[in-house]
Amino acid sequence: MNLAKIRDNLLLWPLFIPLIFTSFSFQPWHFGKTILLVILIDILLILTIFDCFRKKQIEIKFNNLDKLLVVFFALCIGLSFFAFDVTRAFFGTITRANGILIIFHFYLYYLLLRNLFQSSDWLKVFRITALVGFLSILIAWLGPSLAIFSSIVPKSYTRLSGLMGNPIV
């Protein structure tokens, strides 16, 4: 399996992160899964850069939306220096993981997907996303009645709860 195939398969892995349940990815709700996402995106970026230098075939193209997003990030970074808590603005908090650094990783993932995927690959993305969403719904509905999900979805909750976070309002 060549490097491009490995990278293209790894591009799909972040879509499965909502189904991951480990002791470090459950409480606080978002932090563990966010760290896994950042690690995967960084690995993908390293593989893409390595492939660019090795083959010199990958062209990263920027359209107008990409340029507007760069302006948005530049403004966010500039305004973060004037935030009440600069560290929180850049890195977020452990309970929400919503800082500029995390948002920048989402942007990198978007750029990698947009530049490396063909139209047939997007059908895979949509199918996987629908499958993960359906499985998440099943876990939220059936979780309290199935023994294997008893530590994830407690029976005592009066609202639906799943692998993604707080009970559904």
Side-chain angles (χ1 to χ4, degrees):
M1 193 176 238
N2 62 10
L3 187 61
K5 277 265 196 220
I6 293 170
R7 185 198 58 229
D8 290 346
N9 287 329
L10 276 177
L11 276 169
L12 297 173
W13 284 21
L15 301 174
F16 293 100
I17 286 178
L19 295 178
I20 294 174
F21 173 75
T22 63
S23 59
F24 78 91
S25 68
F26 196 57
Q27 192 63 289
W29 296 106
H30 306 287
F31 184 71
K33 293 178 183 188
T34 304
I35 295 301
L36 289 174
L37 179 67
V38 166
I39 290 169
L40 273 174
I41 292 171
D42 289 342
I43 290 170
L44 286 166
L45 187 64
I46 290 168
L47 288 175
T48 303
I49 290 171
F50 183 70
D51 203 25
C52 282
F53 285 124
R54 204 171 117 231
K55 291 186 180 178
K56 300 184 192 252
Q57 292 178 346
I58 298 173
E59 284 185 40
I60 304 294
K61 300 171 190 159
F62 286 93
N63 61 20
N64 289 334
L65 176 62
D66 300 334
K67 293 173 187 173
L68 286 173
L69 286 172
V70 168
V71 170
F72 169 76
F73 283 118
L75 287 171
C76 285
I77 290 169
L79 292 172
S80 293
F81 286 110
F82 299 105
F84 179 72
D85 186 354
V86 176
T87 305
R88 186 174 180 177
F90 276 101
F91 301 107
T93 61
I94 196 167
T95 55
R96 293 292 175 213
N98 56 356
I100 299 292
L101 189 64
I102 304 302
I103 295 171
F104 183 68
H105 276 83
F106 286 133
Y107 178 66
L108 287 176
Y109 187 56
Y110 158 75
L111 282 178
L112 289 170
L113 286 176
R114 197 181 61 69
N115 283 290
L116 299 175
F117 269 13
Q118 307 300 323
S119 59
S120 62
D121 296 325
W122 284 106
L123 290 174
K124 286 184 206 172
V125 169
F126 295 134
R127 287 183 183 135
I128 290 171
T129 303
L131 176 69
V132 168
F134 181 71
L135 289 174
S136 296
I137 289 169
L138 280 179
I139 290 170
W141 281 341
L142 301 176
S145 59
L146 298 175
I148 60 172
F149 295 116
S150 63
S151 64
I152 302 170
V153 186
K155 291 181 182 182
S156 62
Y157 282 1
T158 57
R159 300 180 290 174
L160 288 178
S161 180
L163 298 174
M164 304 271 216
N166 300 336
I168 300 168
V169 177

